[in-house]
Amino acid sequence: MNNKKRKFSIPHTYTIIFCIILFMTILTWIVPSGVFDTMETDDGRTVVIPGTYHEVESNPQGIDDFFTSPIKGIIDAAETIAFVLIVGGAFGVINSTGAIEAGIGKATKIFGRKELFIIPLCMILFGLGGTTFGMCEETLPFYMIFIPLMMALGYDSLTGLSIVYIGAAAGTCASTVNPFSVGLAQSLAELPPGSGIVYRGIIWVIMMTVSIAFVIMYARRVKKIPEASTVYALDQINREKLQKDSSNVKKFTKRDGAVLLVFGVGMAVMVWGVLAKGWYTQEISMIFMMIGVFGGIAGGLKQDEIADAFIAGSKDLIYAALVIGLARAIIIIAQDGKIIDTILNAAAGMLGGLPKTIFINLMLIIQNIICFFVPSSSGHAALTIPIMAPLADLVGVSRQNIITAYQFGTGITSFITPTNGVLMASLTMAGIPWTKFLKFVLPLIIVLWVIGAVALTIGLQIFPT
């Protein structure tokens, strides 16, 4: 007899989604069918008309509908999935040139001994990566640069980890044009990706300023009193392992500068197109395709190397792409079963009477919780936005505010959740237990959450219905 207790583990994201699809299929046999009348706005969005809900003949979904819904979901989300894969491919090419790593490495060498500059400068660089393309896995090579550097300058391993991780995570939390979170969510909500960029840019400045100040204050305390370090005992054990040679960082070349120029110009053109020309998913995909092709050429890659790097980058996002299709299957079942409007009507009835400030911050808390179970920002958006966006219409809240609630929800939870694979990999590389990191970063998380809640409240005035 095996007396060992089975350790609880969170189900795979795909398992969670399939369970929700099954649950939604069962609901079509229980929940009354009904629909809202809809209308198309001047900007091309299809919105529900409050007060027009009425019951219709039921259409319960069967076992065949359950198993065909993922295929229908992938077909229905084809444009969004293609967008994600193209963006992933473009970044695969840019990353394969090593230009981003070389650029940050160059900045580190220039300011490496200028302690007043290195923390804010490098955190801003990582924050820019986070806000523009959700810099995540790309941070992993930098821990073995910054941890030894910070320890050599009299700080600790947690300072080195924080420069990289908190910089990128805070930037991602305050995403402006990140195509994998805010851009995708806006597309799903039928809003132009990149809209509201000035508002989100201000939030990025605030969150980055707070995060940089937090790390600087900790670093100064550790420099003055080394024993005050959260990881003082661990650093004494791990010092030899962590202070290994980091001289193998790619040397910055003119080609790297050319690649970064292509990337910067491409992002600038994308923002201009969104704001001035009303570009949408197809045009933005075009820009990323051009960034990948011209970035690869500027980086000196051969045609087959560009193609292979593009394929590898797209392959890295197959997981997210399938999550988008599977999550859309939930909506397909609810729509075909004609219960999605019934659910929205009930939710609007419960939440519509709440003050809008309470409603939007309740959305933030809900998104915080969902992110723990669905840590993929793309999958999280695909799962929640198609439901939350029309709900916002019914309660009189702008869809932009729902996007912002999602943005803070996924960003803040991913900051600390153990279901975030990059966080756990980063902590493993630094030799820092998750519990110690959580204790260290929790005050910052609380402040960022409050900033998010205040920003959402102000956003109610900036983005009226």
Side-chain angles (χ1 to χ4, degrees), residues 153 184 220 231 345 362 412 465:
L153 292 175
L184 174 61
R220 285 181 173 176
V231 292
N345 186 57
L362 180 61
I412 292 173
T465 54

Side-chain angles (χ1 to χ4, degrees), residues 2 4-5 26 37 54 62 66 77 86-87 158 168 179 194 203 256 274 286 291 306 312:
N2 187 356
K4 290 184 178 180
K5 292 183 179 180
I26 294 171
D37 294 336
H54 54 279
F66 171 76
I86 287 173
V87 172
L158 192 52
I203 296 170
D256 295 319
V274 167
M286 171 194 69
I291 287 174
I306 294 175

Side-chain angles (χ1 to χ4, degrees), residues 76-407:
D76 193 52
E79 182 174 317
T80 303
I81 291 172
F83 169 71
V84 169
L85 295 178
I86 287 173
V87 172
F91 279 112
V93 175
I94 296 297
N95 287 334
S96 71
T97 67
I100 294 177
E101 178 182 348
I104 294 179
K106 178 70 172 179
T108 302
K109 289 181 179 179
I110 293 174
F111 296 97
R113 292 286 170 178
K114 299 178 181 179
E115 302 173 34
L116 293 178
F117 293 99
I118 187 169
I119 293 177
L121 173 68
C122 292
M123 287 188 69
I124 288 172
L125 291 175
F126 286 114
L128 287 171
T131 195
T132 54
F133 65 92
M135 192 176 193
C136 193
E137 290 87 351
E138 297 85 359
T139 62
L140 293 177
F142 294 102
Y143 294 105
M144 289 301 98
I145 300 173
F146 283 92
I147 291 174
L149 176 62
M150 288 295 103
M151 294 180 74
L153 292 175
Y155 300 101
D156 65 356
S157 59
L158 192 52
T159 303
L161 178 133
S162 297
I163 291 173
V164 182
Y165 183 78
I166 292 180
T172 301
C173 184
S175 291
T176 50
V177 294
N178 177 5
F180 304 113
S181 60
V182 170
L184 174 61
Q186 289 178 324
S187 177
L188 291 168
E190 299 183 40
L191 298 173
S195 54
I197 189 172
V198 175
Y199 166 70
R200 292 185 170 83
I202 294 171
I203 296 170
W204 181 83
V205 171
I206 295 171
M207 285 192 168
M208 286 303 303
T209 300
V210 170
S211 300
I212 291 169
F214 176 80
V215 175
I216 288 177
M217 286 190 296
Y218 174 79
R220 285 181 173 176
R221 185 168 73 248
V222 169
K223 185 72 174 285
K224 186 176 181 180
I225 309 173
E227 291 79 8
S229 166
T230 303
V231 292
Y232 179 76
L234 288 171
D235 278 0
Q236 305 313 303
I237 299 172
N238 297 329
R239 185 171 295 274
E240 183 176 347
K241 180 186 73 173
L242 294 174
Q243 288 188 326
K244 63 183 182 180
D245 181 30
S246 59
S247 60
N248 59 348
V249 179
K250 185 179 182 295
K251 184 179 179 181
F252 187 80
T253 64
K254 290 182 179 180
R255 283 193 179 278
D256 295 319
V259 173
L260 295 179
L261 179 62
V262 169
F263 178 76
V265 170
M267 296 300 290
V269 171
M270 184 195 74
V271 172
W272 169 80
V274 167
L275 297 179
K277 297 294 184 180
W279 283 359
Y280 209 62
T281 306
Q282 292 184 12
E283 292 85 358
I284 294 174
S285 298
M286 171 194 69
I287 292 298
F288 277 106
M289 183 71 79
M290 294 172 70
I291 287 174
V293 172
F294 293 122
I297 294 172
L301 299 182
K302 300 176 182 178
Q303 54 83 24
D304 57 331
E305 292 174 328
I306 294 175
D308 288 341
F310 191 92
I311 292 169
S314 298
K315 186 169 63 177
D316 289 341
L317 289 174
I318 286 293
Y319 170 87
L322 288 176
V323 167
I324 292 169
L326 293 175
R328 187 64 63 91
I330 300 170
I331 307 302
I332 294 292
I333 285 287
Q335 288 176 339
D336 290 351
K338 299 180 180 179
I339 64 168
I340 184 68
D341 285 2
T342 304
I343 294 172
L344 289 173
N345 186 57
M350 290 188 293
L351 302 174
L354 293 175
K356 292 182 180 179
T357 299
I358 295 178
F359 170 81
I360 197 63
N361 285 287
L362 180 61
M363 292 297 101
L364 171 59
I365 294 172
I366 291 172
Q367 296 286 18
N368 285 142
I369 295 171
I370 292 173
C371 181
F372 181 85
F373 297 98
V374 186
S376 164
S377 60
S378 301
H380 186 173
L383 187 65
T384 61
I385 298 304
I387 297 175
M388 299 298 191
L391 177 59
D393 297 336
L394 291 173
V395 300
V397 172
S398 169
R399 293 188 177 192
Q400 285 286 8
N401 292 307
I402 291 295
I403 302 301
T404 310
Y406 150 78
Q407 169 187 340

